[in-house]
Amino acid sequence: MALVRWGLRRQNFHLLRRRRVLLLKLTAVVISVLLFCEYFIYYLVLFRCRWPEVKMPARGGRQEPVLKAMFLADTHLLGEIRGHWLDKLRREWQMERAFQTALWLLQPEVVFILGDIFDEGKWSSAQAWADDVHRFQRMFRHGSHVQLKVVIGNHDIGFHYQMSEYRINRFEKVFGSERLFSLKGVNFVMVNSVAMEGDGCTICSEAEAELREISRKLNCSQEVQGSSQCDHKPRLPLSAPVLLQHYPLYRASDANCSGEDAAPPEERSVPFEEKYDVLSREASQKLLWWLRPRLILSGHTHSACEVLHPGGAPEVSVPSFNWRNRNNPSFIMGSLTSRDYALSKCYLPCEDTVLTMYCAAAAFLLVLILVHFEHLPSSFLFGWKLCRSHLRR
């Protein structure tokens, strides 16, 4: 009888030990997969990104300074009306980890977000707006050595018929009302493209008057001192501007766009609607004539595209930064001087890749559990044990 009790105790101890080992294995696999998919994968993917090299001809015996700028678009932070808590948690964690990893690895000097920061800014209440702003500031936090500049989008203040002084002031109170920004000899013009309707509304008229004044300042920077009325005012750096806005300039469609992050083939030939998908022809011509930009960057379409406008001004449409809008988000890295620039694209992890890894990990955990309780078919179980014994030798 004593031998039987001893045998039972030994068997129970063996079973308990096996269960503990199984639990440790399961815990180790779960923690490893979580850490990799939610943290380390961003370093692994973004580590491949490099700042493009820009030609730097010497001016007066010295090299021009190079500005490192990041451009991203359409973060679309979900609000309280359409935002499911799980969708918020998943996609906002993705954007936060991607942004913080990019700051740490790439060390940009300035970051531009090209509109549609929020998804429901056009109708959010005062409290919902404050909550959304708080989440944005936490996700896109940055040190004092990095400047963050934000352009107005239609989801931030509404389309033309929805925008109001109240919504614009609310946005500018948080992100500033700066339209002209210069750093390291590079001029940036940030346009409220929602106000480029051209119908003479008060907001539109004020926006156009502001752009005409910016145009005058840019023209003054190219004039010889002592030759005009510009002499008594501070001058901008002698550099054609980079135009930043949410809506793209007019183009008929995305038919000529290509690349892995361009619009799907079935959508590329769909005609764009002026003042909704793109700016009108008239507004586009005004911006090109007033500002004479050397480069244009825009968002809104959630897909990539490169267009050459009349006069030789290239435009780059920046894809959405959010997994909710596309499977393969990306951002643009720019190295800029007062006379030249070079751009490259940096891709974020694909959502499908992360989901596939989770599915593979779940399948592996299921196999571990079935092997432990010997619920697999005998032939599979025999092969599993044979492999384990071979590995131990």
Side-chain angles (χ1 to χ4, degrees), residues 116-151:
D116 279 2
I117 312 304
F118 307 108
D119 194 60
E120 300 179 8
K122 55 188 176 182
W123 57 52
S124 59
S125 64
Q127 184 57 52
W129 172 263
D131 293 340
D132 293 345
V133 168
H134 176 73
R135 286 180 11 249
F136 173 85
Q137 291 173 338
R138 172 182 53 79
M139 293 166 53
F140 293 91
R141 61 191 180 275
H142 55 89
S144 58
H145 61 288
V146 180
Q147 297 193 53
L148 179 65
K149 303 292 181 180
V150 176
V151 176

Side-chain angles (χ1 to χ4, degrees), residues 75-284:
T75 53
H76 282 273
L77 272 70
L78 291 174
E80 64 177 4
I81 299 175
R82 300 195 305 184
H84 188 276
W85 68 268
L86 182 60
D87 197 5
K88 284 185 181 180
L89 177 67
R90 184 81 193 107
R91 272 54 187 271
E92 290 182 8
W93 172 256
Q94 167 256 322
M95 288 191 287
E96 180 178 353
R97 286 310 331 142
F99 184 76
Q100 296 302 325
T101 304
L103 286 189
W104 189 81
L105 285 176
L106 303 174
Q107 299 289 309
E109 296 168 271
V110 61
V111 178
F112 295 97
I113 305 182
L114 306 179
D116 279 2
I117 312 304
F118 307 108
D119 194 60
E120 300 179 8
K122 55 188 176 182
W123 57 52
S124 59
S125 64
Q127 184 57 52
W129 172 263
D131 293 340
D132 293 345
V133 168
H134 176 73
R135 286 180 11 249
F136 173 85
Q137 291 173 338
R138 172 182 53 79
M139 293 166 53
F140 293 91
R141 61 191 180 275
H142 55 89
S144 58
H145 61 288
V146 180
Q147 297 193 53
L148 179 65
K149 303 292 181 180
V150 176
V151 176
I152 292 176
N154 59 288
H155 276 263
D156 300 316
I157 61 171
F159 283 98
H160 174 261
Y161 59 87
Q162 293 173 308
M163 70 175 179
S164 64
E165 291 284 359
Y166 167 74
R167 292 194 181 98
I168 293 175
N169 291 336
R170 182 172 70 173
F171 185 91
E172 292 180 345
K173 184 177 180 181
V174 177
F175 300 107
S177 58
E178 193 174 25
R179 295 285 179 265
L180 180 61
F181 170 70
S182 299
L183 185 63
K184 283 192 170 181
V186 182
N187 296 317
F188 297 93
V189 179
M190 296 175 284
V191 176
N192 176 5
S193 50
V194 184
M196 296 300 295
E197 190 79 4
D199 62 352
C201 74
T202 302
I203 296 175
C204 298
S205 298
E206 291 174 353
E208 290 196 7
E210 192 173 18
L211 288 172
R212 285 194 295 269
E213 176 61 19
I214 290 174
S215 174
R216 190 194 65 79
K217 291 180 179 179
L218 290 169
N219 289 334
C220 282
S221 69
Q222 301 178 24
E223 292 185 1
V224 178
Q225 290 190 359
S227 62
S228 73
Q229 58 182 354
C230 301
D231 292 334
H232 301 293
K233 297 181 180 180
R235 297 207 174 193
L236 296 171
L238 180 56
S239 175
V242 176
L243 177 59
L244 307 175
Q245 58 190 34
H246 181 62
Y247 284 137
L249 296 184
Y250 174 79
R251 61 177 182 262
S253 68
D254 272 352
N256 295 323
C257 306
S258 60
E260 59 184 295
D261 54 353
E266 64 274 12
E267 297 179 9
R268 294 180 193 175
S269 298
V270 177
F272 281 152
E273 181 181 344
E274 293 184 51
K275 304 181 182 181
Y276 186 84
D277 299 306
V278 293
L279 288 179
S280 66
R281 289 181 176 89
E282 181 184 359
S284 301

